[in-house]
Amino acid sequence: MSQPFDASAASAAYKNALEVIGAVEPTVAGAIRSELADQRASLKLIASENYASPAVLLTMGNWFSDKYAEGTVGHRFYAGCQNVDTVEKLAADHAKELFGAPHAYVQPHSGIDANLVAFWAILAQRIESPALAEAGAKHVNDLSDQDWANLRKALGDQKMLGMSLDAGGHLTHGFRPNISGKMFHQTSYGTDPETGLLDYDEVARLAREFKPLILMAGYSAYPRKVNFAKMREIADEVGATLMVDMAHFAGLVAGKVFTDDFNPVPHAHVTTTTTHKSLRGPRGGMVLCQPEYADAVDRGCPMVLGGPLSHVMAAKAVALAEAKLPSFQTYAGNVADNAVSLAEGLMKRGTKVVTDGTENHIVLLDVSSYGITGRQAESALLDAGIVTNRNAVPRDPNGAWYTSGVRIGTPALTSRGFGADDFDRVAELIVDVLSATTPTNTAAGAPSKAKYVLADGVAGKTRAAAAELLDVHPLYPGLDLD
Ligand code: PLP
């Protein structure tokens, strides 16, 4: 494990906790045990998942969970929040120091919540001022019903320019079924059809034409780094707020793999993130911002959030303390190096990789040359004990449900200690499975996008080979629940 821990203390803690839980609801205690066993036994390659340390996990099971603490540090709507103040302030201080951010808001319950807080903060900062001035009010809470009606009308004209879903953007970046696509008029930028890379000139052209309030950068499935200094130039030229969603690659920013122009925090007006992906913390979100957005961001509760999850804020503080250690920089460097090894291992064995490589923790396979869909590939890989998720590739002919791609990420297995050679072997196993997968027909005789056959024996052989790798790099070594 990249994050060392005291195995005998953690074993005792979990054994005792499971005994207490099992005395009330044995099914839950059993499911917790099974989850650890399943995670230990599979090659987890889901790009958005990781393994938090026992310290982070244990921090979430305590009395902070019982406390209401709406408000901000020192300004709560409930009495008795002194201990919540301690952990919330600590988490925010760690975040500010780790990311070099002027302000950090650690209350969002998830990445989507962090984005919602950011949207409203940007709207409040950018469009309330004239509306408020006209209404003679100082603060959003002073707006009358009529002011709100005017504001809603003004909102209808606000625009967001973000990366399209099939190029690797996220649902919250203006995709129509999401609230972001309903709050804002949306236009998206894609990637270059030849190279698959972000085309900054095209982003600038669209920004000039569309004049967005928010220029959104960041991604869920784009396998390259983004030049945020260039994005900021574009935003400044058209008077947009640059918002960066670093949910996926926050660990690479914290671990100093993405620096200078590729570190979003100094360039963006507002940066959002999850804490549970490459950052390896508890499930949750955060907003980092420049000082002029801080007041509006801090009003996340009550604008879109309820009471903060104090136990999770405490775990964020622990995870951020871990991410400040030099060992986290080694981890983040290994995540990126391992992704290169995985991409090269796949490409040298004839698999098409979108953008012909990677510069972050993501490798996006295009499985169409195997004659199968992403859905068939995902299922066949799972049969063989390899956990991935299907994902659209740019301009995907199979759409977002069946897809032609599979997204693979290195953060979780790197936390187990997998190195470059191990990832080359993982690439070999993936290719073995994909080569042995063939689509079958639907009941009506048409080619199916979901059904497939995996050649006899391949699943078992791959599972055995994977088990050898997993045995060399045990998950939570020495942690014993029996
Ligand atoms: N933003 C990006 C870029 C993501 O990839 C994700 C999750 O996949 C989110 C936001 C949402 O995070 P959460 O699932 O914590 O709401």
Side-chain angles (χ1 to χ4, degrees):
M1 262 323 262
S2 302
Q3 188 58 47
F5 66 97
D6 179 337
S8 82
S11 300
Y14 279 109
K15 266 191 235 175
N16 290 333
L18 287 168
E19 207 176 300
V20 174
I21 297 163
V24 180
E25 184 44 283
T27 307
V28 169
I32 293 171
R33 285 173 182 275
S34 301
E35 185 58 29
L36 176 61
D38 290 352
Q39 295 209 18
R40 278 180 157 162
S42 62
L43 278 177
K44 173 150 100 166
L45 289 162
I46 300 214
S48 49
E49 293 187 7
N50 211 328
Y51 301 108
S53 72
V56 167
L57 297 176
L58 286 166
T59 305
M60 287 185 277
N62 61 69
W63 302 270
F64 276 125
S65 172
D66 295 331
K67 189 77 196 96
Y68 248 106
E70 284 178 22
T72 50
V73 175
H75 303 276
R76 305 285 184 188
F77 292 90
Y78 289 79
C81 294
Q82 59 282 1
N83 299 310
V84 179
D85 280 357
T86 301
V87 295
E88 180 170 354
K89 182 171 179 330
L90 187 63
D93 286 348
H94 281 334
K96 285 193 281 183
E97 191 185 328
L98 180 64
F99 291 107
H103 185 73
Y105 181 65
V106 298
Q107 292 191 12
H109 307 169
S110 69
I112 283 199
D113 284 0
N115 284 350
L116 269 179
V117 169
F119 297 154
W120 281 104
I122 294 167
L123 288 166
Q125 210 276 349
R126 294 286 306 274
I127 74 162
E128 277 177 9
S129 319
L132 290 175
E134 217 170 280
K138 285 203 186 73
H139 184 273
V140 64
N141 292 346
D142 302 330
L143 288 170
S144 67
D145 285 351
Q146 186 53 50
D147 296 332
W148 271 109
N150 294 342
L151 202 58
R152 268 195 295 274
K153 241 196 247 155
L155 273 180
D157 295 331
Q158 299 310 318
K159 301 176 192 168
M160 177 193 288
L161 174 61
M163 189 180 235
S164 67
L165 203 62
D166 78 334
H170 187 253
L171 281 170
T172 51
H173 300 182
F175 190 55
R176 278 182 229 296
N178 181 262
I179 184 78
S180 58
K182 308 208 185 296
M183 284 172 72
F184 299 97
H185 289 303
Q186 191 264 0
T187 279
S188 51
Y189 55 85
T191 47
D192 182 273
E194 295 295 311
T195 61
L197 299 175
L198 199 52
D199 176 348
Y200 297 93
D201 292 338
E202 178 61 7
V203 177
R205 189 191 66 74
L206 284 167
R208 280 181 211 119
E209 191 178 297
F210 188 59
K211 302 218 178 340
L213 176 84
I214 299 179
L215 174 60
M216 171 71 96
Y219 50 79
S220 298
Y222 179 65
R224 295 282 167 172
K225 43 189 192 181
V226 171
N227 186 323
F228 298 108
K230 273 195 192 161
M231 292 303 248
R232 175 62 188 259
E233 267 173 41
I234 297 170
D236 284 349
E237 188 193 324
V238 300
T241 293
L242 177 62
M243 174 172 164
V244 177
D245 178 352
M246 64 169 183
H248 254 267
F249 54 89
L252 300 184
V253 179
K256 315 281 181 253
V257 173
F258 289 172
T259 55
D260 304 317
D261 290 356
F262 303 98
N263 172 4
V265 180
H267 301 293
H269 297 94
V270 181
T271 304
T272 56
T273 186
T274 56
T275 46
H276 49 273
K277 303 183 202 260
S278 56
L279 196 52
R280 213 169 56 193
R283 296 202 82 80
M286 290 197 301
V287 183
L288 311 173
C289 66
Q290 300 302 329
E292 64 272 27
Y293 289 85
D295 278 354
V297 163
D298 278 351
R299 279 184 230 127
C301 163
M303 181 57 98
V304 288
L305 301 175
L309 308 178
S310 307
H311 54 309
V312 181
M313 292 198 296
K316 286 173 187 169
V318 174
L320 291 165
E322 290 176 353
K324 280 162 76 176
L325 298 172
S327 57
F328 194 84
Q329 293 189 17
T330 310
Y331 164 70
N334 291 342
V335 166
D337 291 348
N338 286 341
V340 170
S341 174
L342 179 62
E344 284 175 356
L346 289 160
M347 289 189 296
K348 78 182 177 203
R349 293 178 177 92
T351 306
K352 183 163 168 25
V353 165
V354 174
T355 77
D356 295 327
T358 175
E359 290 167 333
N360 53 24
H361 60 297
I362 295 171
V363 178
L364 187 58
L365 306 191
D366 181 339
V367 295
S368 48
S369 63
Y370 290 98
I372 54 178
T373 62
R375 176 154 170 188
Q376 287 159 329
E378 175 196 86
S379 303
L381 288 167
L382 188 63
D383 293 344
I386 302 176
V387 190
T388 62
N389 69 280
R390 66 186 183 280
N391 206 102
V393 298
R395 293 161 283 278
D396 199 314
N398 286 322
W401 180 249
Y402 292 109
T403 81
S404 306
V406 173
R407 186 185 67 165
I408 305 182
T410 51
L413 290 184
T414 304
S415 286
R416 280 182 86 136
F418 276 54
D421 289 347
D422 302 312
F423 271 98
D424 183 60
R425 178 80 176 118
V426 170
E428 193 180 356
L429 297 181
I430 290 172
V431 170
D432 287 349
V433 173
L434 297 180
S435 314
T437 306
T438 33
T440 52
N441 286 345
T442 61
S448 171
K449 289 186 174 187
K451 293 184 174 169
Y452 63 94
V453 249
L454 179 58
D456 273 355
V458 174
K461 209 171 123 218
T462 308
R463 278 179 183 275
E468 277 176 30
L469 283 173
L470 294 166
D471 282 350
V472 178
H473 303 292
L475 178 60
Y476 305 118
L479 180 71
D480 179 10
L481 300 186
D482 298 316

